[in-house]
Amino acid sequence: MSGQNPTPPAEPAASAADAYVYGYPLVSGLSAVDAALHKGFGTLGPAPFNHFSHAGRLASPDDHFVSVNNDTVYSVAQLDLSGGPLLLDVPDTDGAYCVLQFVDAWTNNFAYLGSRATGTAKSRWLIAPPGWPGSEPDDVTGVIDAPTSVVTLVGRNACGGPDDMPRVAAIQQDLVLTPQDGAEHRTGLPAVDPDVPDELRFFERLRVWMADFPPSAADQAYQDRFQPLGLLEEGPSPYVNAEPALVRALREGLAAGKERIENASKAAAPDQYSQAQARPGEWGMNPHLFDYNLDHLGIGTIDSTQWRIDDREASYLTRAVAARTALWGSHGYEAVSASTSTDAEGRPLTGATSYTVRFEQPPPVGSFWSMTMYDTPDQQLVDNPIGCYSIGDRTPGLVYADDGSLTICIGRERPSHPVEAANWLPAPEGGFRPMIRLYTPNDAVTDGSYRLPTIRPRAAQPG
C-alpha cells in the first residue's frame, strides 16, 4: 500500500547502489536547475522558468568553475512545459558560431539548433511537452519534442573578446521565449518531504522527481527493480520513519554508488596518463561521453550506432560520469575537449618550465579551435599580466610560419622574441593543465585518427 515502509530486497545495498548510479543524473541535473532558478551560477544570474539568463562577458579568473569555457558566452534557460508549449525565436548570427542545446531532466541531449545543426539564419521553433496533442503552427520552422516537462536550454555564442560583446549582446536580446496564451507554468520543482533525514535525502529526491519526470519506457522497465527500496512509492515518503534495515541498505548503497561513479570518472578523465596510452604527453579526449541517450534523438542530433552506447545498463554509468564531470556538456559531434597534464617526456607540466607546441596543420574542425590554460589541481583560470586565458585560430595577431605551421609558446614569463610573444599563452607559477576545444570537429577527431601535437620543453625541441 502507498506510504507504507517497503520491505528491503534480498540484496538491498547492491540494489541501492544501482539506484544511485541510475538516478544520479536526474538528481544532480535537477539540483542544478533549482540552483539556476534561485541562485544562478558563474556569470549567470538567477532566472525563473521560461526566461533566459545571459552572461554579459566571457569567463575570467573571477569565475570559480572547473575548466570554465573561455570561448563562448552563455545564455541559459530552464524551461517548464507543464502548462503547454513554448515558442522560441532565434536571431540570425550572420554565420558566427552558435548552438542551442536541449537537455531533458535525465541529462539527455535530445536536440540542437545552431551553426552545425540548423544553420545561423533567423528561425522560430515550437518546444512541445511530452505527449502534446496539438498541431504545428504555420509560422514555425519546426517542432522540438521534449521528453520531459522540464528542460535545460544551454546557448553558447562564440565571442572574440570584450570588443565583440556588443554583437553577442544584441543576439542575446533577440533570443526570446514566449509561453502560449493562458498557459500556467510551475514556479519551482516538485517539493520533497522536509522530514526525511539528510542521509536519505538523495533517495527522496529521486523518488519524487522520478515520478514527475518519467524516463523512456525501456528505462522505466529497468527502474521497476527499485520498488522494494521505496523508490516507486506514491504519496507520503517511506523514508521519514523507515525501518533500520532499509536505512542501512540505502546508506551502504549510496556510499557504494558514489564510489562506483568516482572510480569510473577517474578512469574516464581525459588527461590520465597511463601505460595504455601510445605516448607520454598524449592529449586525452572522450568524444563519446554523451552517447547515453538511446531513446529521444530529435532535431540536430545524429541518430546512428556510432553515437549510441550498445549496452543500456552500461549507459547508466556513463550518464552518471557525464553528470559528475561535465554536466550539460554536448555530444562529441558538436564539440570535443582534450587535455593533458604532462609534457612529451611524461613529466608534469609546470610554470617553472617554458614549452612550445607546434601544429603542423590546423586541427580539423568545421568551426574553430582554442587552447585554454587552467591551474592544477583546481582547474581554474589564472590571472596573468596580459589577460589572455586562451589562444586559438580566432586570436588576433598570431604569427604562422612560412609552411603554415603554428607554434604556441607556453610559459610563465613573456617571451622576448616578438613572434614568440605574439603566440604566447601565459601559464601559472605552479602546475597547469591546458585544454584544447574543437568546435564542430571533423571525423578524424571523433574517430581517433587525428592526434594533437604534444607539448615539449623548449630545451627538448628537435633541430
Side-chain angles (χ1 to χ4, degrees), residues 183 217 234 281 288 299 372 374 432:
E234 300 176 356
H288 296 287
I299 292 171
T372 306
Y374 303 99
F432 63 87

Side-chain angles (χ1 to χ4, degrees), residues 51-201:
H51 291 77
F52 275 102
S53 176
H54 299 295
R57 57 176 174 80
L58 285 169
S60 74
D62 295 330
D63 302 301
H64 301 291
F65 270 76
V66 173
S67 302
V68 65
N69 182 323
N70 186 242
D71 300 316
T72 63
V73 177
Y74 282 91
S75 295
V76 176
Q78 308 303 331
L79 312 183
D80 174 61
L81 304 170
S82 61
L86 300 171
L87 287 174
L88 170 65
D89 286 292
V90 181
D92 188 348
T93 67
D94 195 24
Y97 177 82
C98 62
V99 62
L100 292 168
Q101 170 190 343
F102 294 78
V103 190
D104 73 10
W106 291 86
T107 71
N108 295 301
N109 297 322
F110 66 90
Y112 295 91
L113 306 176
S115 304
R116 176 197 60 82
T118 57
T120 63
K122 181 179 180 180
S123 57
R124 167 174 277 194
W125 303 85
L126 185 81
I127 309 170
W132 181 62
S135 57
E136 179 179 335
D138 294 335
D139 63 343
V140 302
T141 308
V143 175
I144 297 170
D145 293 308
T148 56
S149 61
V150 162
V151 167
T152 297
L153 174 51
V154 182
R156 302 177 181 90
N157 279 284
C159 180
D163 293 342
D164 195 27
M165 267 309 302
R167 178 191 64 83
V168 175
I171 292 171
Q172 293 175 327
Q173 183 70 27
D174 291 336
L175 193 62
V176 178
L177 286 163
T178 307
Q180 292 208 324
D181 294 340
E184 294 185 5
H185 298 268
R186 57 166 69 93
T187 58
L189 294 173
V192 300
D193 193 321
D195 294 328
V196 172
D198 288 345
E199 62 182 346
L200 303 182
R201 192 64 57 84

